[in-house]
Amino acid sequence: MDTLKSYLEEHAAGDLLPWHRQLEASRSFGLTIAETEEAILAHGLLPARYQRNRTTIPQAGQRELFHSQVAVVGCGGLGGYVIEELARVGVGRIVAIDPDVFEEHNLNRQLLSTPERLGTSKVAAAARRVGEVNPAVTLVPLRRAFSRDNGGELLAGSRVAVDCLDAVASRLELAEACSSVGIPLVHGAIAGWYGQLTTQFPGEATLQAVYRSRSGGPGVETSLGNPSFTPAVVASLEVAEACKLLLGQGTTLRGRQLIVDLKSMEFTVINLKE
Amino acid sequence: MTVTVKLFASFRTGRFEVKTADYPAGTTVGDVVDSLALPRADVGIILINSRHAELDRPLAEGDNLALFPLLGGG
């Protein structure tokens, strides 16, 4: 590996390693793109693609993200954008969980959906997209429906779960599973012009408070539908929460809920503790 | 008794943002929800004076009631 180290040092511009050098290093040393990325970060360098992350995420943080696994539960309106942003920011391993295929009514908002992909698996589309966008990121596609029974298995190895589901009952099961395996959960939900966001830590019954212990039934989204912009907003807020959890930076929505109203353009934070 | 009701998100459509009105003594949160023609199943978080409450909770003079819709879409 000394020769790899020499190669990286020789070809870095300052502390940045350009993409074509990362590719060349992978070919020359018989490594995957991910293995090369690991080596670049381990040597205190930065793949050049992350140079605009740098003020927000220091080099050590970029390394932390690369060594992190995040579970994205649901790959529809929220999940598509969440996966895109996690991959671009440099989270090393993303587990995408969704049993569904694309349907025509997804096309108005779901980033991964295209007319050509109607009838094909959402998690397979996620894997293809991440392979195109950031080949250093491993996307693990799991074409499974999340439930209380398989939750522990599907979340194994993930440091954070991001709730991108579309039903209250399964969201509550996810919250319970996250508490059982001891990881934080970033929750987001949308309907029409509106969205909500919170972060649950293990042992905190945050989602039960949000849904007032209701076991099922849809929310107002069944009548309001979902336009293109609301999932993009709420998904981005979820990724910001997930990154803070992975990096140990900033203040999350732990114990609080954000209500997003894009029609009145109001962002309201309420306390969930009392 | 006088109660101030604040509605959030989709609950505002065709109704109001904030309204102070007189209600008979003994009125519960559920009664207010019904009087506004809000389906009870659509009600998410309920706050009275910034504290969490349930539909069966009786209101008191001067209470501030906030109602949020239940959102589940993804």
Side-chain angles (χ1 to χ4, degrees):
Chain A
M1 290 302 252
D2 279 349
T3 45
L4 173 60
K5 188 179 178 188
S6 311
Y7 177 92
L8 296 176
E9 281 167 0
E10 188 183 333
H11 295 289
D15 65 346
L16 297 177
L17 197 81
W19 171 242
H20 73 277
R21 294 296 186 189
Q22 186 170 351
L23 269 182
E24 191 176 80
S26 295
R27 288 198 197 102
S28 307
F29 295 93
L31 300 171
T32 64
I33 299 289
E35 286 166 340
T36 313
E37 181 132 324
E38 184 177 7
I40 294 165
L41 291 165
H43 289 125
L45 302 171
L46 196 65
R49 64 176 300 132
Y50 301 123
Q51 58 191 295
R52 296 293 161 87
N53 279 1
R54 193 150 46 174
T55 314
T56 316
I57 301 164
Q59 201 273 352
Q62 198 66 56
R63 205 164 65 217
E64 187 71 31
L65 292 183
F66 178 77
H67 288 286
S68 296
Q69 177 177 311
V70 172
V72 180
V73 190
C75 300
L78 293 172
Y81 287 104
V82 166
I83 289 165
E84 177 86 6
E85 293 179 18
L86 289 174
R88 285 190 187 272
V89 83
V91 169
R93 199 173 165 89
I94 302 166
V95 179
I97 304 163
D98 198 311
D100 292 339
V101 297
F102 289 111
E103 297 180 64
E104 195 164 350
H105 58 81
N106 300 151
L107 290 171
N108 76 325
R109 68 191 185 285
Q110 298 194 10
L111 181 65
L112 298 167
S113 67
T114 61
E116 294 72 31
R117 288 183 184 162
L118 293 178
T120 69
S121 155
K122 293 184 178 184
V123 294
R128 276 198 301 275
R129 176 69 182 171
V130 167
E132 286 166 10
V133 164
N134 191 349
V137 173
T138 303
L139 188 127
V140 181
L142 298 180
R143 198 173 167 185
R144 311 262 301 271
F146 189 93
S147 76
R148 186 179 279 115
D149 299 332
N150 64 17
E153 176 200 338
L154 299 185
L155 297 175
S158 289
R159 286 183 55 197
V160 173
V162 186
D163 173 8
C164 302
L165 290 162
D166 61 0
V168 175
S170 44
R171 290 177 186 281
L172 291 170
E173 291 189 19
L174 171 61
E176 192 185 310
C178 286
S179 269
S180 298
V181 301
I183 61 170
L185 169 67
V186 179
H187 159 79
I190 50 172
W193 296 90
Y194 318 106
Q196 65 186 34
L197 195 81
T198 188
T199 292
Q200 170 185 286
F201 275 66
E204 298 176 347
T206 309
L207 257 66
Q208 285 178 30
V210 166
Y211 288 118
R212 295 177 34 244
S213 304
R214 284 162 50 112
S215 55
V220 293
E221 70 283 356
T222 47
S223 55
L224 298 178
N226 286 303
S228 64
F229 42 82
T230 314
V233 170
V234 174
S236 295
L237 297 171
E238 288 190 280
V239 174
E241 285 289 278
C243 286
K244 285 184 287 180
L245 290 166
L246 296 172
L247 295 167
Q249 281 187 21
T251 306
T252 65
L253 282 168
R254 182 180 193 172
R256 300 181 298 153
Q257 186 180 5
L258 173 67
I259 313 288
V260 176
D261 180 339
L262 298 176
K263 199 173 185 191
S264 302
M265 212 43 102
E266 284 182 13
F267 289 67
T268 307
V269 176
I270 58 174
N271 211 325
L272 288 171
K273 284 173 181 165
E274 328 181 51
Chain B
M1 65 181 171
T2 306
V3 172
T4 300
V5 180
K6 188 166 187 191
L7 301 178
F8 286 86
S10 56
F11 288 171
R12 291 178 178 176
T13 307
R15 297 185 187 85
F16 54 85
E17 281 186 34
V18 188
K19 194 171 180 178
T20 302
D22 273 323
Y23 291 93
T27 298
T28 64
V29 173
D31 295 333
V32 174
V33 166
D34 296 343
S35 74
L36 294 169
L38 294 168
R40 288 187 177 214
D42 287 358
V43 179
I45 284 178
I46 301 165
L47 299 177
I48 297 176
N49 307 325
S50 303
R51 289 177 165 263
H52 290 254
E54 288 298 325
L55 286 165
D56 58 3
R57 169 81 169 270
L59 292 159
E61 170 63 31
D63 274 350
N64 284 291
L65 170 65
L67 298 171
F68 298 83
L70 191 145
L71 308 187

